[in-house]
Amino acid sequence: MKRTTITLPDDLDARLRREAEQQGTTVSELTRAAIEAHLGGGQARRPVAAASDQSEQMDISEHIKNIIAAEASRSD
């Protein structure tokens, strides 16, 4: 695995860390999933987070795609 350093605005970093904590995953794993979801293809690891009801599960890659799309539209 290759280590990559990125620079994020403080508010985006805070949101990323908050999301990782809420999903019970690491910032690295959430970032990898977001990049894979954005680029598509490959062997995407798709973290699944339990919803408030343990019988329901949400594929967080869809949530990540929404975050990326919102950020992209804000920078336009």
Side-chain angles (χ1 to χ4, degrees):
M1 196 170 286
K2 175 102 173 145
R3 180 180 297 263
T4 301
T5 302
I6 61 169
T7 304
L8 299 174
D10 290 342
D11 63 322
L12 183 56
D13 178 69
R15 292 189 351 240
L16 177 63
R17 291 177 186 285
R18 188 170 40 253
E19 184 69 20
E21 185 176 329
Q22 288 174 350
Q23 297 300 329
T25 190
T26 65
V27 169
S28 294
E29 184 63 31
L30 188 62
T31 302
R32 282 189 293 271
I35 292 169
E36 188 63 47
H38 182 71
L39 296 178
Q43 293 291 322
R45 286 190 268 166
R46 299 172 72 92
V48 176
S52 57
D53 176 355
Q54 291 288 348
S55 65
E56 296 179 32
Q57 292 190 340
M58 175 184 71
D59 182 352
I60 67 167
S61 65
E62 287 302 315
H63 182 61
I64 293 167
K65 286 179 187 179
N66 293 338
I67 292 170
I68 292 170
E71 287 302 310
S73 68
R74 291 173 93 189
S75 63
D76 290 342

